[in-house]
Amino acid sequence: MAFTYGAYTACLQDRTLEEALEVLAGVGLRGAEVNTGGFIPSPHAPVDLLLASERARREYRAVFAAADMQLTGLTVSGNPLSPLPTEGIGHAEDLRRTIELAGALEVPEVVAMSGTPGTDPGAGYPAWIVNPWNGIDLEILEYQWSVAVPFWKRMDALARERDVKIAFELHPRNLVFSPPTFEQFLERVEPTNIGVNLDPSHLFWQQMEPLECIERLAEHILHVHAKDTAVLPGAGTRGVLDTAFDPVPEDPAERTPTGIGHWCSSWPADPAWRFVALGEGHDVDYWTRFLGALAAVDPDLTINIEHEDAAFDRIEGIERGARTLLEAAARSGA
């Protein structure tokens, strides 16, 4: 057994699937993870057609075979628990359809987010409760769990029926965003087919140590995103929970999309942290230890680069990430 090294193709959505796979193969990668809904479009997976037609599914799998690439995951990053009418219901449906499609395509893993409900039944927006030392915040969390538990029990049952595993990205602004909150999820939901997508960038951001998280999460790690974060000097006075951002730029040309109809706020001049290309925040030695820690847990994981560093264009970012990842792989023997 050995790791499969690939990339998430969302950053190449301006290219056809065939062109995206050619880019990944050209930098030495052998796996591809494609988006199927949620916050991000699905240009590399015609979900309706693939669900409706076995012939379309055969032809789709043939595209990967012709490129000597593996389809290693479907991603549906969204907020299926959101009270917003533009998010919750649609994202939940995207998740259901993605689980169905993963089963039909025999793709083992669906990468998703746990979601964030509102504060109460009448809430209009999702609310992320970060540090509930204030007692009323615990009451909000209990309400949010009361929304999440039955939903994820249903999704777990569907995944079990389709022989698919759901891998939660431990992303801030979600109910499940850390090892302890995932352990709460395990206790409350008792899932059979839900685990973790280990994305170290979100752990670095929160000042966690991914190597310790790997040891704690262990057999619950089902999938991995190779993505880096740099914690910057601004953290000294801003902290990593900084809220001092400016509005989305008025000029559409200056906006950074975060999903369909969503854009990133304007970053401060001296931010506390930034997502960076793999290797720009932590060196090859770190990623060598990272892969070694994962191999001790499961030597047969998929490791996919996720490029979100605006300092590099899409191709350069993937190239840099692949060089770092594959050098670490060679050193670690994983």
Side-chain angles (χ1 to χ4, degrees), residues 71-137:
L71 175 56
T72 55
L74 303 180
T75 296
V76 58
S77 296
N79 186 354
L81 306 180
S82 174
L84 284 167
T86 55
E87 290 183 353
I89 294 173
H91 291 186
E93 182 62 18
D94 287 346
L95 175 63
R96 292 186 190 95
R97 285 155 50 83
T98 297
I99 294 169
E100 300 265 2
L101 181 57
L105 287 171
E106 298 182 346
V107 175
E109 292 139 21
V110 167
V111 177
M113 294 178 183
S114 62
T116 316
T119 56
D120 58 83
Y125 290 87
W128 184 38
I129 305 303
V130 179
N131 189 353
W133 62 271
N134 184 345
I136 196 170
D137 291 338

Side-chain angles (χ1 to χ4, degrees), residues 160-234:
R160 185 165 58 249
E161 179 184 320
R162 296 293 187 266
D163 194 25
V164 171
K165 295 293 180 71
I166 300 171
F168 277 167
E169 193 163 347
L170 302 182
H171 198 302
R173 201 176 175 269
N174 281 267
L175 190 59
V176 178
F177 63 92
S178 64
T181 53
F182 179 72
E183 290 162 358
Q184 286 182 288
F185 177 86
L186 291 178
E187 182 178 349
R188 291 170 183 261
V189 176
E190 299 181 309
T192 61
N193 284 54
I194 301 177
V196 168
N197 169 48
L198 200 286
D199 184 331
S201 69
H202 304 134
L203 308 178
F204 289 136
W205 166 8
Q206 299 176 78
Q207 292 290 271
M208 299 181 204
E209 172 46 67
L211 299 179
E212 294 180 27
C213 293
I214 291 169
E215 183 176 0
R216 181 160 173 171
L217 293 166
E219 73 275 7
H220 297 293
I221 298 172
L222 306 176
H223 196 88
V224 179
H225 276 173
K227 184 176 160 197
D228 208 348
T229 294
V231 177
L232 303 170

Side-chain angles (χ1 to χ4, degrees), residues 5 49 54 65 174 185 209 221 234 236 245 247 251 253 261 266 272 279 284 287 294 334:
Y5 295 101
L49 178 62
E54 172 56 33
N174 281 267
F185 177 86
E209 172 46 67
I221 298 172
F245 283 62
D251 183 353
S266 297
V284 173
W287 295 111
L294 288 170

